[in-house]
């Protein structure tokens, strides 16, 4: 399976045309790398068929993590952009009341996912096995009715923002 990394600092409409052109030649796994980091731009890019969106300010390890996630069939949006999903001008810290629905370990795993950390790093930081982290993720995904890590991060961030 081929993965295309597309650098694009164009308007949303020009980006859509570029993605359409790539899809016409059979490129189905496209990650857009762009200096434009607005949530609107990211969501429009994903809606036009990109499987990932990586700001140019990302580290190499973040780009590699995005590539791995996309190659595994998921969609990558930088978790830190989700903190301001309701109001992009304000990054909200998590509110504690939503956490009552989860165990302390599940909350810690959710926070790791929201920060874009891979399972291995979350496991190391929480001093648990990677398989245990996966179990926590699966249970949290069921509770939130999330289909993937990105949706889990988004829903958890929305819950934190609304209290």
């Amino acid at each position: 399976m081929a993965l295309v990394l597309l650098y694009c600092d164009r308007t949303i409409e020009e980006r859509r045309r570029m993605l359409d052109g790539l899809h016409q030649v059979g490129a189905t796994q496209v990650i857009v790398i762009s200096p434009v980091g607005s949530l609107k731009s990211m969501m429009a890019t994903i809606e036009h068929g990109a499987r990932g969106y990586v700001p140019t300010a990302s580290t190499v390890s973040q780009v590699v993590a995005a590539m791995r996630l996309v190659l595994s069939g998921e969609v990558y949006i930088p978790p830190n952009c989700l903190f301001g999903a309701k109001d992009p001008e304000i990054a909200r810290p998590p509110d504690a009341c939503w956490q009552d629905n989860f165990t302390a370990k599940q909350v810690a795993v959710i926070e790791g996912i929201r920060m874009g950390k891979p399972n291995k790093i979350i496991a190391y930081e929480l001093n648990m096995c990677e398989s245990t982290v996966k179990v926590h993720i699966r249970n949290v995904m069921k509770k939130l009715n999330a289909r993937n890590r990105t949706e889990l991060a988004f829903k958890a961030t929305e819950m934190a923002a609304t209290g």
Side-chain angles (χ1 to χ4, degrees):
M1 180 180 321
L3 176 66
V4 176
L5 297 178
L6 172 66
Y7 176 82
C8 186
D9 59 355
R10 313 250 176 197
T11 66
I12 292 173
E13 182 58 31
E14 291 171 314
R15 186 175 300 146
R16 183 195 60 77
R17 283 195 299 270
M18 292 173 81
L19 287 167
D20 286 346
L22 283 169
H23 291 308
Q24 287 176 357
V25 296
T28 58
Q29 303 292 345
V30 180
I31 296 177
V32 172
I33 300 175
S34 178
V36 181
S38 73
L39 183 61
K40 177 183 176 183
S41 177
M42 288 183 212
M43 295 311 293
T45 300
I46 299 301
E47 288 171 3
H48 293 308
R51 300 290 297 166
Y53 189 100
V54 178
T56 53
S58 301
T59 65
V60 172
S61 62
Q62 289 170 324
V63 175
V64 170
M67 291 168 61
R68 286 184 178 141
L69 193 64
V70 168
L71 286 171
S72 72
E74 300 292 337
V75 174
Y76 178 81
I77 297 174
N80 59 344
C81 83
L82 299 176
F83 285 113
K86 289 261 187 201
D87 184 352
E89 302 298 318
I90 302 170
R92 295 179 178 89
D95 191 353
C97 66
W98 70 271
Q99 298 172 354
D100 294 341
N101 297 325
F102 304 99
T103 67
K105 290 288 188 180
Q106 287 175 337
V107 170
V109 169
I110 291 169
E111 292 305 315
I113 290 172
R114 288 177 64 199
M115 292 172 35
K117 296 177 181 177
N119 293 351
K120 189 177 289 188
I121 301 300
I122 295 170
Y124 176 78
E125 290 178 350
L126 298 177
N127 195 28
M128 63 175 69
C129 294
E130 191 173 352
S131 60
T132 305
V133 171
K134 289 178 182 181
V135 169
H136 286 308
I137 291 171
R138 186 171 48 246
N139 291 334
V140 169
M141 287 175 72
K142 284 180 185 176
K143 285 182 181 181
L144 295 179
N145 197 24
R147 293 172 294 205
N148 56 47
R149 290 172 70 95
T150 304
E151 189 174 4
L152 186 152
F154 184 78
K155 286 184 175 189
T157 299
E158 280 204 329
M159 286 176 40
T162 60

